[in-house]
Amino acid sequence: QIEISACYEKYMGLQLEEAKLDFSSQVYLALKLLREHPSVLRRYQKEFKFILVDEFQDTNFMQLKLLEILASSHKNIMVVCDDDQAIYRFRGAAFSNILNFMKIYPEAEKISININYRSQKDILDKAYNLISHNNPDRLEVQASVDKHLIPNSPKPLVPVSFSFFENVS
């Protein structure tokens, strides 16, 4: 851990020397600026009265804190997320952000969009059954969010089948 901490310190120093920042440093420094300079925070809160975040399931803890401080004066914030589409956990994206958002903003309305315009019922049902193997670590279970998709068109187009093969040839 001492070696890792020395490497991190050197890395941070190189960023400053080269006047270059990585993504996490950008978020960290923005959060630091807003926390340490209330006049800057007020300026941005005044300029951005409404906040919309798409793909919220791919945010990390620091990004949640940045949003929380920006929205603290007006609480006009909307997030769009689907925990089943989270793809950035390896970069620190946290499912807990969704649950924490609901704790921070308990008055926020939860809206599920359940109409699907792309797939037929058979595909949606099979996909739902497959994804449900991720329970109980899903919003559907932890926050009582209905995520069962309904097709826009009730007629089946193509039957769905599963095939298993021993190898690729």
Side-chain angles (χ1 to χ4, degrees), residues 2-5 8 21 23 35 45 56 68 71 73 76 87 94 106 110 113 117 121 126 132-133 136 149 163 166:
I2 292 171
E3 287 180 53
I4 291 172
S5 120
Y8 182 74
L21 298 173
F23 179 72
R35 283 180 170 162
Q45 287 175 330
F56 186 73
E68 186 178 358
S73 67
N76 293 324
I87 59 171
K110 292 183 276 185
I113 300 173
Y117 294 90
K121 182 176 180 5
K126 285 184 172 44
S132 69
H133 289 286
L149 297 176
S163 299
E166 293 293 323

Side-chain angles (χ1 to χ4, degrees), residues 133-148:
H133 289 286
N134 293 329
N135 290 346
D137 300 320
R138 295 178 60 238
L139 275 180
E140 190 163 44
V141 174
Q142 293 198 17
S144 301
V145 175
D146 178 19
K147 295 179 64 180
H148 194 259

